[in-house]
Amino acid sequence: MKIGIYGYGNLGRGVETAVWHNPDMETAAVFTRRDPKDVQTYGAPVYSADQATDFKDKIDVMIICGGSATDLPEMTPMLAKNFNIVDSFDTHAKIPEHFAKTDKAAKDSGHIALICAGWDPGLFSLARLYFSSVMPVCTTYTFWGKGVSQGHSDAIRRIEGVTNARQYTLPVPEALERVRAGENPTFTPREKHRRDCYVSVAEGADKERIKHEIITMPAYFADYDTTVTFVSEDEIIKNHSALPHGGHVLCSCRTGQHNENLQKAEFTLSLESNPEFTASVITAGARAMHKMHARGITGCKTMLDIPPADLSALSDEELRKSLL
Amino acid sequence: MKIGIYGYGNLGRGVETAVWHNPDMETAAVFTRRDPKDVQTYGAPVYSADQATDFKDKIDVMIICGGSATDLPEMTPMLAKNFNIVDSFDTHAKIPEHFAKTDKAAKDSGHIALICAGWDPGLFSLARLYFSSVMPVCTTYTFWGKGVSQGHSDAIRRIEGVTNARQYTLPVPEALERVRAGENPTFTPREKHRRDCYVSVAEGADKERIKHEIITMPAYFADYDTTVTFVSEDEIIKNHSALPHGGHVLCSCRTGQHNENLQKAEFTLSLESNPEFTASVITAGARAMHKMHARGITGCKTMLDIPPADLSALSDEELRKSLL
């Protein structure tokens, strides 16, 4: 399988290294909107994004490593006209629109497209689906963290006087324990997650005003218990430059004629690098697209539509023997 | 969807109650090899197993609730000639043979068959598949317990002088912690699981001889640290009649150019009733068979082959909206 990587930031680099671990794949080309001479990969050849169409018969799956806010809504439908593609679109409210546009582009051109690949949306969505299908009358809970939210970190950085910031989302331990105990509770956002912020400011900046602006910021922080710790910019770079994340999907239900038996399921991810793990998932997703396209399937898919065996390099016989 | 239940023990009863929780299904008939007059369901009509063929156009999916040792190898290929079926076959070494026979029967008659449905094989197999596809160079570990092993309990009951027995399989906590720490260790069976046995004996039976026979029994106990606790038969019935089970599937890998980032995944089930949870899973599997058969798919499948969305009663649009 020849993989193309379209966009070469944290995620694109993660895909290039993830492909190393899959002997049935190789990175045929990296495409960039920068000057290709300025992009240093781990070994894959670099081309200008404008040249991508020249590779339409040389690449089996194009993995699009752009941002959900502005890149992917344009790039994914455009590239699906010439390639089987995978993206990691994660702007929840805009998924129906992104799905519809990509589905049309892929179907019209006879390609297949996997959108929203990764761990959430992605593996966590799958856990929610399996749990809610097996335990249909129960509530499925998702807790995130401890992890860095780039969106929340960016929101803090836009405040006047802030030079750098890192925001960690954390589950509230008591809430997690109540769910684990099978209580099926109802939570406010504040009861479920808290937010810890590490912030560096310009000399002479008004820390009280900045702290107030953070903890009262609507949508981002006002509905959560938020701590703000002022640190030097050096300390942010030294101690807070990693991008860990993870979380838990949980579900419990009662079975039996008198609901006497408590059944509990929990899926946990603990990731030291969010973009590298996302890259690992979407690389497996690229294999599934290649296999499904070979069976004549076209159009837009999500991980909820992929027969799990298609993610693996092993044959169905090997999978039944080694994993069932 | 009209569900048939073929065999009415713990698992069949669990399926009947699981169907209650799925408004798109109803149990149309229970089939038994006993005299139907002697079988008391929670409401579903009971027929003789001999009458099943009369229902071939009245049942969408037949769920076969027999034992893997002798029932399913006969029943599943036989019933797949007239019905879409689901079973929970779990004799690992015989899966290829069971698959081949069922596949032929289902393909020849234009039906679809799901074998090996449940949580292990089943949801745990899926976790092993997702983890090993996303983290291809890493080891996936499965720990079972705390839970009752019926096979091991039966083996103890066959010893002379034993009147009743219950065997619990438990993970060794230190082994679980080493895997959770990302060590990727190698284990002997003894290092990974231990076995606790509660045994009642006939009056005057030689407890030392019985204990020795248990802990030295090849395949079942000799390779494990095994404790034997002698209790009264009343105590076994009072305190050890439940069938809890569960366990953990874990995988960790390192990503990044220098393998610097540890990524960890864990899936845990904690079940107060093993047969009722298995019933919940295979009931969702029956829905998937109905949907896939409506798309013209025939032959033998496992949960590794089912597009996850097919397990759910929700439409693809609803799933994308609520779970992605």
Side-chain angles (χ1 to χ4, degrees):
Chain A
M1 273 182 70
K2 309 275 189 203
I3 298 291
I5 300 174
Y6 195 94
Y8 197 75
N10 281 337
L11 186 61
R13 276 193 295 276
V15 170
E16 190 184 3
T17 55
V19 168
W20 292 347
H21 295 307
N22 290 280
D24 58 335
M25 300 183 186
E26 64 171 309
T27 303
V30 166
F31 299 96
T32 180
R33 288 178 294 182
R34 292 173 273 168
D35 184 334
K37 283 195 291 297
D38 295 339
V39 173
Q40 183 65 53
T41 67
Y42 299 130
V46 187
Y47 302 92
S48 165
D50 301 332
Q51 296 173 266
T53 312
D54 300 344
F55 286 78
K56 66 178 277 181
D57 300 317
K58 294 174 193 151
I59 280 171
D60 295 307
V61 183
M62 184 74 92
I63 298 179
I64 312 175
C65 301
S68 291
T70 56
D71 296 341
L72 297 177
E74 297 289 322
M75 285 179 185
T76 300
M78 178 193 78
L79 289 165
K81 291 178 185 167
N82 290 308
F83 298 95
N84 297 322
I85 66 94
V86 180
D87 82 14
S88 58
F89 188 76
D90 65 358
T91 307
H92 187 82
K94 297 191 174 165
I95 290 173
E97 184 189 340
H98 190 59
F99 184 92
K101 278 190 189 172
T102 304
D103 193 48
K104 181 169 185 347
K107 278 197 178 132
D108 286 352
S109 65
H111 289 101
I112 189 166
L114 172 62
I115 62 166
C116 307
W119 63 274
D120 198 358
L123 297 182
F124 270 21
S125 317
L126 286 166
R128 291 188 284 263
L129 174 53
Y130 283 115
F131 294 174
S132 62
S133 298
V134 168
M135 299 179 262
V137 292
C138 304
T139 308
T140 297
Y141 296 85
T142 304
F143 289 85
W144 292 276
K146 180 181 178 177
V148 171
S149 166
Q150 307 235 46
H152 287 77
S153 303
D154 290 345
I156 300 171
R157 276 192 287 264
R158 286 192 292 266
I159 294 172
E160 195 193 322
V162 171
T163 56
N164 208 342
R166 202 60 129 192
Q167 193 269 185
Y168 296 95
T169 305
L170 298 93
V172 173
E174 295 75 16
L176 196 50
E177 287 316 309
R178 286 182 63 195
V179 174
R180 284 197 180 123
E183 283 187 35
N184 275 307
T186 305
F187 294 119
T188 62
R190 188 182 304 277
E191 288 168 335
K192 228 177 137 197
H193 290 98
R194 65 185 181 86
R195 301 190 178 280
D196 284 359
C197 311
Y198 293 82
V199 182
S200 63
V201 297
E203 221 179 297
D206 180 350
K207 290 181 179 175
E208 277 312 302
R209 190 249 320 149
I210 289 169
K211 182 178 171 181
H212 182 76
E213 282 193 40
I214 295 172
I215 65 177
T216 60
M217 195 185 298
Y220 285 88
F221 295 102
D223 295 334
Y224 299 88
D225 287 338
T226 301
T227 66
V228 177
T229 307
F230 290 101
V231 295
S232 68
E233 185 151 16
D234 279 356
E235 193 177 326
I236 291 192
I237 290 162
K238 190 173 155 224
N239 296 334
H240 301 284
S241 64
L243 294 169
H245 221 310
H248 311 265
V249 180
L250 307 98
C251 188
S252 65
C253 71
R254 290 184 168 275
T255 64
Q257 205 195 354
H258 306 293
N259 294 323
E260 64 272 30
N261 290 314
L262 181 62
Q263 319 275 26
K264 297 192 286 183
E266 177 170 350
F267 175 46
T268 296
L269 287 173
S270 170
L271 311 173
E272 288 188 353
S273 168
N274 179 355
E276 286 171 9
F277 191 76
T278 300
S280 300
V281 178
I282 66 182
T283 300
R287 178 186 291 114
M289 291 302 97
H290 188 53
K291 285 190 184 182
M292 291 169 76
H293 191 249
R295 295 201 298 271
I297 301 171
T298 63
C300 191
K301 306 290 165 191
T302 74
M303 290 180 73
L304 309 179
D305 306 309
I306 298 177
D310 284 334
L311 296 167
S312 174
L314 300 179
S315 71
D316 290 351
E317 292 74 20
E318 288 169 314
L319 290 175
R320 286 196 294 271
K321 194 174 169 194
S322 62
L323 299 182
L324 272 188
Chain B
M1 270 183 71
K2 310 274 188 205
I3 298 290
I5 301 173
Y6 195 94
Y8 197 75
N10 281 337
L11 186 61
R13 275 193 296 275
V15 170
E16 191 185 2
T17 55
V19 168
W20 292 347
H21 295 306
N22 290 280
D24 58 335
M25 301 183 186
E26 65 171 306
T27 302
V30 166
F31 300 95
T32 179
R33 288 177 294 183
R34 291 173 275 167
D35 185 332
K37 285 196 288 297
D38 296 338
V39 173
Q40 184 64 54
T41 67
Y42 300 130
V46 188
Y47 303 92
S48 164
D50 301 333
Q51 297 173 266
T53 313
D54 301 343
F55 287 77
K56 67 178 276 178
D57 300 317
K58 294 174 194 150
I59 281 172
D60 294 308
V61 183
M62 183 75 93
I63 298 179
I64 312 175
C65 301
S68 292
T70 57
D71 296 341
L72 297 176
E74 298 290 321
M75 284 178 185
T76 300
M78 179 192 79
L79 289 165
K81 290 176 185 168
N82 290 309
F83 298 95
N84 297 323
I85 65 95
V86 180
D87 83 13
S88 58
F89 188 77
D90 66 357
T91 307
H92 187 84
K94 296 190 174 165
I95 289 174
E97 185 188 340
H98 190 59
F99 184 93
K101 278 189 187 172
T102 305
D103 193 50
K104 183 172 183 344
K107 278 196 178 133
D108 286 352
S109 66
H111 291 101
I112 190 166
L114 172 62
I115 62 165
C116 307
W119 63 272
D120 199 357
L123 297 182
F124 270 22
S125 317
L126 286 167
R128 291 188 283 264
L129 174 53
Y130 284 115
F131 293 175
S132 62
S133 298
V134 169
M135 300 179 261
V137 292
C138 304
T139 307
T140 297
Y141 296 84
T142 304
F143 289 85
W144 292 276
K146 182 182 178 175
V148 171
S149 166
Q150 307 235 46
H152 287 78
S153 302
D154 291 345
I156 299 170
R157 278 193 286 265
R158 286 192 292 266
I159 293 171
E160 196 193 323
V162 171
T163 56
N164 207 343
R166 202 59 128 192
Q167 193 268 187
Y168 296 95
T169 305
L170 297 94
V172 173
E174 296 75 16
L176 195 50
E177 287 316 309
R178 287 183 63 195
V179 174
R180 284 196 179 125
E183 283 187 34
N184 274 304
T186 306
F187 294 119
T188 62
R190 186 182 308 275
E191 289 168 335
K192 228 178 136 195
H193 290 97
R194 65 185 180 86
R195 301 190 178 280
D196 284 359
C197 311
Y198 294 82
V199 181
S200 63
V201 297
E203 219 179 300
D206 179 351
K207 289 181 180 176
E208 277 311 302
R209 191 244 327 146
I210 288 170
K211 181 179 172 181
H212 182 77
E213 281 194 41
I214 294 171
I215 65 176
T216 61
M217 195 185 297
Y220 285 88
F221 295 101
D223 295 334
Y224 300 88
D225 288 338
T226 301
T227 66
V228 177
T229 306
F230 290 101
V231 295
S232 68
E233 184 151 15
D234 280 355
E235 192 176 327
I236 290 191
I237 290 162
K238 191 172 152 225
N239 296 335
H240 301 284
S241 64
L243 293 170
H245 219 312
H248 311 265
V249 180
L250 307 100
C251 188
S252 65
C253 71
R254 291 186 168 272
T255 63
Q257 205 195 355
H258 306 293
N259 295 321
E260 64 273 30
N261 290 314
L262 182 62
Q263 319 275 26
K264 298 192 286 184
E266 178 169 348
F267 174 47
T268 296
L269 286 173
S270 170
L271 310 172
E272 287 187 355
S273 168
N274 179 354
E276 286 171 8
F277 191 75
T278 300
S280 300
V281 178
I282 67 183
T283 301
R287 177 186 292 115
M289 291 302 97
H290 188 53
K291 286 191 185 183
M292 291 169 75
H293 191 249
R295 295 202 298 272
I297 300 171
T298 63
C300 190
K301 306 291 166 192
T302 74
M303 290 180 73
L304 308 180
D305 306 309
I306 297 177
D310 284 334
L311 295 166
S312 174
L314 300 180
S315 71
D316 289 350
E317 291 72 20
E318 288 170 313
L319 290 175
R320 286 196 295 269
K321 194 173 170 196
S322 62
L323 298 181
L324 271 187

